Amino acid sequence: AQKVTQAQTEISVVEKEDVTLDCVYETRDTTYYLFWYKQPPSGELVFLIRRNSFDEQNEISGRYSWNFQKSTSSFNFTITASQVVDSAVYFCALRGSSGSARQLTFGSGTQLTVLP
Amino acid sequence: EAQVTQNPRYLITVTGKKLTVTCSQNMNHEYMSWYRQDPGLGLRQIYYSMNVEVTDKGDVPEGYKVSRKEKRNFPLILESPSPNQTSLYFCASSLSGTYMNTEAFFGQGTRLTVV
Protein backbone atom coordinates (compact mmCIF):
# COMPACT_ATOMS: atom_id res chain seq x y z
CA ALA A 1 0.00 0.00 0.00
CA GLN A 2 1.20 3.48 -0.69
CA LYS A 3 1.60 6.07 2.00
CA VAL A 4 2.34 9.78 2.37
CA THR A 5 3.78 11.20 5.58
CA GLN A 6 3.75 14.86 6.51
CA ALA A 7 5.43 14.81 9.89
CA GLN A 8 4.94 18.51 10.56
CA THR A 9 1.42 18.94 11.88
CA GLU A 10 1.70 22.68 12.46
CA ILE A 11 4.28 25.29 11.56
CA SER A 12 4.26 28.92 12.57
CA VAL A 13 6.56 31.52 11.03
CA VAL A 14 6.81 35.27 10.93
CA GLU A 15 6.13 37.04 7.66
CA LYS A 16 9.09 37.13 5.25
CA GLU A 17 10.68 34.04 6.71
CA ASP A 18 11.32 31.05 4.47
CA VAL A 19 9.56 27.84 5.38
CA THR A 20 9.86 24.26 4.12
CA LEU A 21 7.08 21.72 4.33
CA ASP A 22 8.24 18.12 4.34
CA CYS A 23 6.68 15.23 2.47
CA VAL A 24 7.89 11.64 2.48
CA TYR A 25 6.18 8.94 0.46
CA GLU A 26 6.15 5.19 0.05
CA THR A 27 5.12 3.31 -3.06
CA ARG A 28 5.96 0.08 -4.84
CA ASP A 29 5.27 1.55 -8.26
CA THR A 30 8.18 2.66 -10.40
CA THR A 31 5.97 5.21 -12.12
CA TYR A 32 4.02 7.51 -9.85
CA TYR A 33 2.88 11.10 -9.50
CA LEU A 34 3.23 13.53 -6.65
CA PHE A 35 1.05 16.54 -5.95
CA TRP A 36 0.76 19.45 -3.57
CA TYR A 37 -2.56 21.06 -2.71
CA LYS A 38 -3.34 24.13 -0.64
CA GLN A 39 -6.43 24.45 1.54
CA PRO A 40 -6.93 28.07 2.65
CA PRO A 41 -9.25 28.94 5.56
CA SER A 42 -12.16 29.14 3.10
CA GLY A 43 -11.88 25.36 2.73
CA GLU A 44 -11.45 24.68 -0.97
CA LEU A 45 -8.56 22.59 -2.27
CA VAL A 46 -6.26 24.35 -4.68
CA PHE A 47 -3.89 22.42 -6.91
CA LEU A 48 -0.30 23.71 -6.74
CA ILE A 49 1.97 21.30 -8.57
CA ARG A 50 2.31 17.86 -10.13
CA ARG A 51 5.58 15.96 -10.46
CA ASN A 52 6.18 12.69 -12.32
CA SER A 53 8.52 10.11 -10.84
CA PHE A 54 10.76 10.13 -13.89
CA ASP A 55 11.30 13.88 -13.75
CA GLU A 56 13.53 14.80 -10.83
CA GLN A 57 14.08 18.36 -11.91
CA ASN A 58 13.21 20.81 -9.17
CA GLU A 59 10.67 23.47 -9.93
CA ILE A 60 10.27 27.10 -8.98
CA SER A 61 7.14 29.15 -9.37
CA GLY A 62 7.47 32.62 -7.95
CA ARG A 63 7.98 32.28 -4.20
CA TYR A 64 7.21 28.56 -4.31
CA SER A 65 9.75 25.85 -5.01
CA TRP A 66 9.67 22.09 -4.84
CA ASN A 67 12.56 19.71 -4.21
CA PHE A 68 11.94 16.17 -5.45
CA GLN A 69 14.50 13.61 -4.28
CA LYS A 70 13.78 10.07 -5.38
CA SER A 71 16.71 8.69 -3.36
CA THR A 72 15.06 9.76 -0.11
CA SER A 73 11.44 9.47 -1.34
CA SER A 74 10.80 13.08 -0.51
CA PHE A 75 8.97 15.91 -2.22
CA ASN A 76 9.46 19.00 -0.09
CA PHE A 77 7.82 22.37 -0.63
CA THR A 78 9.50 25.66 0.22
CA ILE A 79 7.86 29.06 0.43
CA THR A 80 10.33 31.91 0.23
CA ALA A 81 9.57 35.23 1.93
CA SER A 82 6.30 33.95 3.36
CA GLN A 83 3.21 36.13 3.47
CA VAL A 84 0.12 36.10 5.66
CA VAL A 85 -1.92 34.90 2.65
CA ASP A 86 0.17 31.73 2.62
CA SER A 87 -1.53 30.65 5.84
CA ALA A 88 -3.32 27.44 4.97
CA VAL A 89 -3.23 23.68 5.31
CA TYR A 90 -0.93 22.11 2.72
CA PHE A 91 -1.40 18.55 1.55
CA CYS A 92 1.07 16.35 -0.24
CA ALA A 93 -0.47 13.52 -2.29
CA LEU A 94 0.67 10.50 -4.27
CA ARG A 95 -0.91 8.58 -7.11
CA GLY A 96 0.59 5.32 -8.33
CA SER A 97 0.15 3.75 -11.73
CA SER A 98 -1.11 0.25 -11.01
CA GLY A 99 -4.24 -1.22 -9.51
CA SER A 100 -5.52 0.37 -6.34
CA ALA A 101 -2.39 2.54 -6.19
CA ARG A 102 -4.00 4.72 -8.85
CA GLN A 103 -6.14 6.30 -6.18
CA LEU A 104 -4.89 9.61 -4.85
CA THR A 105 -3.40 9.11 -1.38
CA PHE A 106 -3.03 12.19 0.82
CA GLY A 107 -0.81 12.98 3.73
CA SER A 108 -2.39 14.29 6.91
CA GLY A 109 -1.53 17.88 6.02
CA THR A 110 0.58 20.65 7.53
CA GLN A 111 -1.11 23.70 8.99
CA LEU A 112 1.04 26.73 8.14
CA THR A 113 0.44 29.95 10.02
CA VAL A 114 2.26 33.07 8.86
CA LEU A 115 2.20 35.80 11.48
CA PRO A 116 2.38 39.47 10.52
CA GLU B 1 -16.07 27.88 -16.23
CA ALA B 2 -14.60 24.44 -15.53
CA GLN B 3 -15.75 23.28 -12.15
CA VAL B 4 -16.89 20.55 -9.82
CA THR B 5 -20.12 21.43 -8.05
CA GLN B 6 -21.26 19.85 -4.82
CA ASN B 7 -24.55 20.34 -3.07
CA PRO B 8 -25.39 21.07 -0.38
CA ARG B 9 -22.44 22.97 1.11
CA TYR B 10 -23.69 22.49 4.65
CA LEU B 11 -26.03 19.88 6.05
CA ILE B 12 -27.18 18.97 9.52
CA THR B 13 -29.20 15.78 9.74
CA VAL B 14 -30.33 13.20 12.26
CA THR B 15 -29.11 9.67 12.69
CA GLY B 16 -30.72 7.24 10.28
CA LYS B 17 -32.23 9.74 7.85
CA LYS B 18 -31.09 8.91 4.33
CA LEU B 19 -29.32 11.69 2.48
CA THR B 20 -27.62 12.30 -0.85
CA VAL B 21 -24.80 14.69 -1.61
CA THR B 22 -24.68 15.55 -5.29
CA CYS B 23 -21.58 16.11 -7.36
CA SER B 24 -21.42 17.30 -10.93
CA GLN B 25 -18.50 18.21 -13.20
CA ASN B 26 -18.57 20.01 -16.53
CA MET B 27 -15.14 19.00 -17.82
CA ASN B 28 -16.07 15.64 -19.39
CA HIS B 29 -13.73 13.93 -16.94
CA GLU B 30 -13.68 10.14 -16.78
CA TYR B 31 -12.49 9.74 -13.20
CA MET B 32 -14.48 10.90 -10.19
CA SER B 33 -14.09 10.22 -6.51
CA TRP B 34 -15.30 11.09 -3.03
CA TYR B 35 -13.15 11.91 -0.03
CA ARG B 36 -13.77 12.70 3.58
CA GLN B 37 -11.53 15.01 5.54
CA ASP B 38 -11.12 14.59 9.28
CA PRO B 39 -8.71 16.42 11.61
CA GLY B 40 -5.29 14.79 11.70
CA LEU B 41 -6.19 12.24 9.03
CA GLY B 42 -5.99 14.25 5.85
CA LEU B 43 -8.31 13.22 3.04
CA ARG B 44 -9.34 9.61 2.73
CA GLN B 45 -10.97 8.17 -0.33
CA ILE B 46 -14.45 6.73 0.08
CA TYR B 47 -15.34 5.57 -3.43
CA TYR B 48 -14.09 6.22 -6.91
CA SER B 49 -15.33 5.74 -10.45
CA MET B 50 -13.13 5.12 -13.45
CA ASN B 51 -15.98 5.82 -15.86
CA VAL B 52 -19.74 5.48 -16.31
CA GLU B 53 -21.13 2.41 -14.53
CA VAL B 54 -17.69 1.59 -13.09
CA THR B 55 -17.28 2.23 -9.36
CA ASP B 56 -15.03 0.80 -6.68
CA LYS B 57 -14.33 1.12 -2.99
CA GLY B 58 -11.68 3.39 -1.62
CA ASP B 59 -10.16 3.23 1.83
CA VAL B 60 -13.25 4.01 3.91
CA PRO B 61 -16.37 2.84 2.02
CA GLU B 62 -18.43 1.53 4.96
CA GLY B 63 -21.77 3.31 5.32
CA TYR B 64 -21.66 4.92 1.88
CA LYS B 65 -23.00 4.17 -1.59
CA VAL B 66 -22.34 5.75 -4.95
CA SER B 67 -23.59 5.48 -8.50
CA ARG B 68 -22.30 6.67 -11.86
CA LYS B 69 -25.12 6.60 -14.36
CA GLU B 70 -23.90 9.62 -16.28
CA LYS B 71 -20.39 10.84 -16.86
CA ARG B 72 -20.92 14.22 -15.23
CA ASN B 73 -22.66 13.10 -12.00
CA PHE B 74 -21.39 11.08 -9.07
CA PRO B 75 -23.73 11.29 -6.06
CA LEU B 76 -22.74 10.09 -2.60
CA ILE B 77 -25.50 8.34 -0.67
CA LEU B 78 -25.66 7.76 3.06
CA GLU B 79 -28.48 5.28 3.58
CA SER B 80 -28.46 5.49 7.38
CA PRO B 81 -26.11 8.23 8.55
CA SER B 82 -24.43 7.92 11.93
CA PRO B 83 -22.56 10.51 14.03
CA ASN B 84 -19.18 9.06 13.00
CA GLN B 85 -19.94 10.18 9.46
CA THR B 86 -19.82 13.79 10.58
CA SER B 87 -17.07 15.17 8.38
CA LEU B 88 -16.07 17.44 5.53
CA TYR B 89 -16.69 15.74 2.20
CA PHE B 90 -15.06 16.50 -1.12
CA CYS B 91 -15.91 15.34 -4.59
CA ALA B 92 -13.11 15.35 -7.16
CA SER B 93 -12.70 14.66 -10.84
CA SER B 94 -9.75 14.19 -13.15
CA LEU B 95 -9.41 13.74 -16.85
CA SER B 96 -8.51 10.10 -17.04
CA GLY B 97 -9.04 6.97 -15.04
CA THR B 98 -6.21 5.30 -16.88
CA TYR B 99 -3.51 7.93 -17.03
CA MET B 100 -2.77 9.09 -13.53
CA ASN B 101 -0.65 12.11 -14.33
CA THR B 102 -3.53 14.54 -14.30
CA GLU B 103 -4.42 16.58 -11.28
CA ALA B 104 -7.72 16.27 -9.49
CA PHE B 105 -10.19 19.13 -9.43
CA PHE B 106 -12.13 19.41 -6.21
CA GLY B 107 -15.56 20.66 -5.37
CA GLN B 108 -16.10 23.27 -2.66
CA GLY B 109 -16.78 20.68 0.00
CA THR B 110 -19.86 19.62 1.98
CA ARG B 111 -19.78 19.96 5.72
CA LEU B 112 -22.03 17.26 7.13
CA THR B 113 -23.09 17.00 10.75
CA VAL B 114 -25.04 13.96 11.94
CA VAL B 115 -26.70 14.36 15.34
Side-chain angles (χ1 to χ4, degrees):
Chain A
Q2 58 192 26
K3 184 180 177 182
V4 177
T5 301
Q6 294 180 258
Q8 304 152 308
T9 307
E10 296 180 24
I11 299 176
S12 185
V13 299
V14 177
E15 205 170 19
K16 296 184 184 176
E17 285 184 358
D18 299 347
V19 58
T20 295
L21 309 182
D22 297 333
C23 173
V24 174
Y25 62 90
E26 297 173 28
T27 179
R28 293 178 181 171
D29 287 349
T30 53
T31 300
Y32 51 89
Y33 309 90
L34 296 160
F35 304 82
W36 276 95
Y37 285 85
K38 174 182 180 179
Q39 186 177 43
S42 51
E44 73 272 23
L45 285 158
V46 179
F47 166 75
L48 295 178
I49 190 172
R50 173 186 66 242
R51 177 60 66 208
N52 304 329
S53 57
F54 45 85
D55 180 4
E56 290 193 66
Q57 196 170 22
N58 291 328
E59 183 155 340
I60 299 174
S61 176
R63 295 184 298 107
Y64 294 172
S65 62
W66 290 269
N67 182 355
F68 176 35
Q69 296 216 344
K70 219 167 173 177
S71 59
T72 56
S73 297
S74 65
F75 186 43
N76 297 337
F77 173 30
T78 298
I79 302 174
T80 303
S82 60
Q83 300 176 1
V84 172
V85 293
D86 295 327
S87 297
V89 180
Y90 290 86
F91 291 99
C92 181
L94 165 70
R95 174 174 276 154
S97 53
S98 62
S100 62
R102 286 182 291 182
Q103 66 177 283
L104 193 59
T105 300
F106 284 84
S108 55
T110 297
Q111 170 73 62
L112 174 64
T113 302
V114 181
L115 303 168
Chain B
E1 180 190 352
Q3 58 185 4
V4 179
T5 304
Q6 290 178 232
N7 279 297
R9 293 287 310 279
Y10 302 91
L11 179 60
I12 300 175
T13 190
V14 296
T15 299
K17 185 177 181 183
K18 181 179 178 180
L19 66 92
T20 299
V21 184
T22 64
C23 174
S24 180
Q25 50 93 5
N26 62 1
M27 297 168 278
N28 202 36
H29 282 173
E30 289 184 350
Y31 187 89
M32 296 185 73
S33 55
W34 277 101
Y35 296 84
R36 60 177 288 172
Q37 182 181 359
D38 302 291
L41 297 177
L43 283 85
R44 294 177 294 166
Q45 192 176 60
I46 303 170
Y47 269 94
Y48 65 95
S49 170
M50 298 284 279
N51 214 324
V52 176
E53 300 292 2
V54 181
T55 64
D56 210 345
K57 296 177 181 178
D59 295 322
V60 288
E62 293 77 22
Y64 305 95
K65 284 176 57 178
V66 293
S67 67
R68 187 93 181 271
K69 294 184 171 58
E70 306 165 284
K71 199 170 188 178
R72 63 183 294 127
N73 296 324
F74 190 45
L76 179 69
I77 303 158
L78 285 72
E79 294 269 2
S80 182
S82 61
N84 64 13
Q85 292 179 297
T86 292
S87 188
L88 178 59
Y89 290 87
F90 286 98
C91 179
S93 74
S94 54
L95 180 63
S96 171
T98 303
Y99 300 103
M100 294 291 106
N101 63 341
T102 55
E103 67 269 24
F105 293 81
F106 285 84
Q108 293 288 85
T110 295
R111 187 164 292 282
L112 172 65
T113 302
V114 183
V115 298

